[in-house]
Amino acid sequence: MIAVGVFALACQRQLRASPAPGFAVPAVFAPVNLRAAGYRVQDVSHGVTPFTHSAAAVEVPGRGLLAFWYGGTREGSADCAIYMARLNAVSGAWGAERVVIDREALQTGLRRSIRKIGNPTVVRGRDGALRLFFVSVSLGGWSGSAINMLTSRDGGESWSAPRRLVTSPFLNISTLVKGEPLLYADGSIALPVYHEFAGKFGELLRLSPEGQVLHKQRLSSGRYSLQPVLAPGSRDAAVGFMRYAGAPPRRVLALRSGDGGRSWSAPEKTVLANPDAAVAALRLAGGGLLLAFNDSESSRHNLSLAHSHDDGRNWRVVHVVEDAGAESNAEFSYPWLLRTGDGDWHLFYTEGKQRIRHARFNLAWLGQKLQ
Amino acid sequence: MQIAFGLAGHALLVAAAAAAIARRRRWGRWARMLPIAAGLASLVPLAGPSLAGYLLGLVGGLSVTTQALLALAIASFLTGRERILESDRRTLLASVAMAAVVLYPLSLGLGGFDPYAAGFGSLTLLGLLALYALAAWFAGRSFAVAVITAALAAHHAGLMESDNLWDYLIDAPLAAYAIGGWLWIAAQRVTQRKGC
């Protein structure tokens, strides 16, 4: 009798766990940008840590733009921490960076051993709270990563105790974040993640605002695709892009959903080059797409912006953000694109794994580039 | 609460290991308290996380199935009486081994199908579990039914960090133990046949 009762309760719970309810339609900002064409690049990080990598950013209404990244003595060192900085709305300069959480605080909060901290990603929920996701490793290299979540209800001033997400059955290893989380129509969070342990493939997690994993689905399979980013155009239609780690020709991968993220097409190569590096995508107000990527099959020596007017089928490079030359050892990587309520666009990226850069441009500038 | 449940699972593991050592060494009655002392000591932080915390970091939370088996092993040691029939134990471990050889390779990326995703919400998975429980009940394997019921109840209560039903039923250390045990039995049978 007890067993029958427990099975009935379990059935009730399983029925509540529905698949993706469609994407929250991205905000379409009015073209308030009537200023002259503007484009400016500046540093976000100030050299506090020799190693600095993987920027994420979010706008908090009334508090401005916040950027997050991780840094330390070197990649994977025990002193790596998640840092944040705030853009001063008056001066237009980035403020001092401060630690959001370091390895010891995470270890204390989760009451377990943590070896290193890595990639952060952030989203502002329907309730206005910020959810910061980042990876940590207890055993092995980055392929042993698990995801953690912090919540801030005061615009990044203070953060909750960490919560560990369990997303893999085998020691909870090999789930990493990089791409921007999105919101579903019901306020739940779409978190693009990827695996790189036995295979390299993308997945999409659906989370409750509290961080409960509600659903999980594959975006790809095999050993060649990772770091998905998604750009919904409507409640039902979305296009995604992925880093390609397979055999040449090396191209950015694209995948599509026409049912609100319930199912996705198999990834296909676009015409854009990809040197096994992360990309960032943003939907424009008119339905176009902007993609930040390394325009090379072999190195990250440049960083470019490409535009597509037909949902990612055809592309045109509209601006070269950085180009150190193919022979250079310079590296520009891990882009993050964002549009703020004032109508400006923002591109964040890592330069040489030493500093975080921020390129800001407005509608007039972008309009000139798209002509 | 969820972290405490995870730490408690690893304290049980340490206690069961201590019980196994004490049993093998045939230590006297005074050793009866050793598993309890070892389990409690594993929860004390020593210059960072506790031993249970280190294990939780390395292995993750232990399933309800593992915790039930560990608790019964400790109870057997303390009382001097077996608390689970050998046939019940073997049936459960065989089931775990079979589930593991399907679940882990597929969920780690072999092919496009991910059975782990079903643990976040699938009536199919629940239906299969119900069929398994019914079969076990009619076969007189009541321990398997009790473990599945306990795992479902713990999942409903959200006792573990994981929201996935699979993590309440099975974990990697248990799978390694179950598969290793069956490989050992198979190797012994092959050796015996060759000896004949």
Side-chain angles (χ1 to χ4, degrees), chain A residues 126-138:
Chain A
R126 187 183 271 181
D127 59 357
L130 301 180
R131 269 92 190 181
L132 180 71
F133 302 93
F134 62 99
V135 304
S136 68
V137 175
S138 292

Side-chain angles (χ1 to χ4, degrees), chain B residues 184-196:
Chain B
W184 175 251
I185 290 169
Q188 278 186 323
R189 284 188 182 165
V190 169
T191 311
Q192 280 170 359
R193 276 184 197 165
K194 281 186 177 172
C196 290

Side-chain angles (χ1 to χ4, degrees), chain A residues 193-249:
Chain A
V193 300
Y194 61 100
H195 281 239
E196 57 174 32
F197 176 57
K200 286 184 176 176
F201 54 91
E203 289 184 332
L204 185 58
L205 302 178
R206 182 172 161 237
L207 308 174
S208 73
E210 295 75 34
Q212 186 186 3
V213 184
L214 303 173
H215 191 64
K216 176 186 168 185
Q217 66 190 116
R218 289 267 169 89
L219 295 176
S220 60
S221 60
R223 296 188 52 82
Y224 65 90
S225 56
L226 64 162
Q227 296 182 337
V229 292
L230 306 177
S234 67
R235 185 178 171 124
D236 291 329
V239 59
F241 301 95
M242 295 177 83
R243 167 178 170 174
Y244 177 70

Side-chain angles (χ1 to χ4, degrees), chain A residues 3 6-7 10-11 13-15 17 107 109-113 138 164 166-169 171 198 201 203 212-214 216 218, chain B residues 7 49 53-54 57 59 104 106-109 111-112 114 116-117 120-123 126 130 149 152-153 155 161 163 167 172:
Chain A
V6 169
F7 264 97
C11 284
R13 181 187 166 125
Q14 303 291 309
L15 285 171
Q107 193 164 262
L110 294 177
R111 296 177 69 185
R112 76 198 64 189
S113 59
S138 292
R164 168 60 58 100
V166 181
T167 54
S168 163
L171 312 177
F201 54 91
E203 289 184 332
Q212 186 186 3
V213 184
L214 303 173
K216 176 186 168 185
R218 289 267 169 89
Chain B
L7 290 170
Y54 271 105
V59 175
Y104 291 124
L106 292 179
S107 62
L108 287 175
D114 180 12
Y116 186 64
F120 290 114
S122 161
L123 285 175
L126 267 186
T149 306
L152 283 172
H155 182 237
E161 284 180 324
D163 303 303
D167 292 317

Side-chain angles (χ1 to χ4, degrees), chain B residues 124-153:
Chain B
T124 308
L125 178 61
L126 267 186
L128 289 172
L129 270 179
L131 283 177
Y132 174 86
L134 267 177
W137 179 259
F138 284 114
R141 302 288 191 261
S142 54
F143 182 65
V145 181
V147 163
I148 289 172
T149 306
L152 283 172

Side-chain angles (χ1 to χ4, degrees), chain A residues 8 22 26 32 53 55 76 88 120 124 129 131 153 162 176 186 210 238 261 278 286 340-341 343 346 350 361 369:
Chain A
V32 293
H53 192 34
N88 186 313
R124 188 170 158 269
R131 269 92 190 181
R153 299 189 183 279
L176 297 93
D186 65 351
E210 295 75 34
T340 43
H346 305 264
T350 306
F361 47 96
K369 292 288 176 181

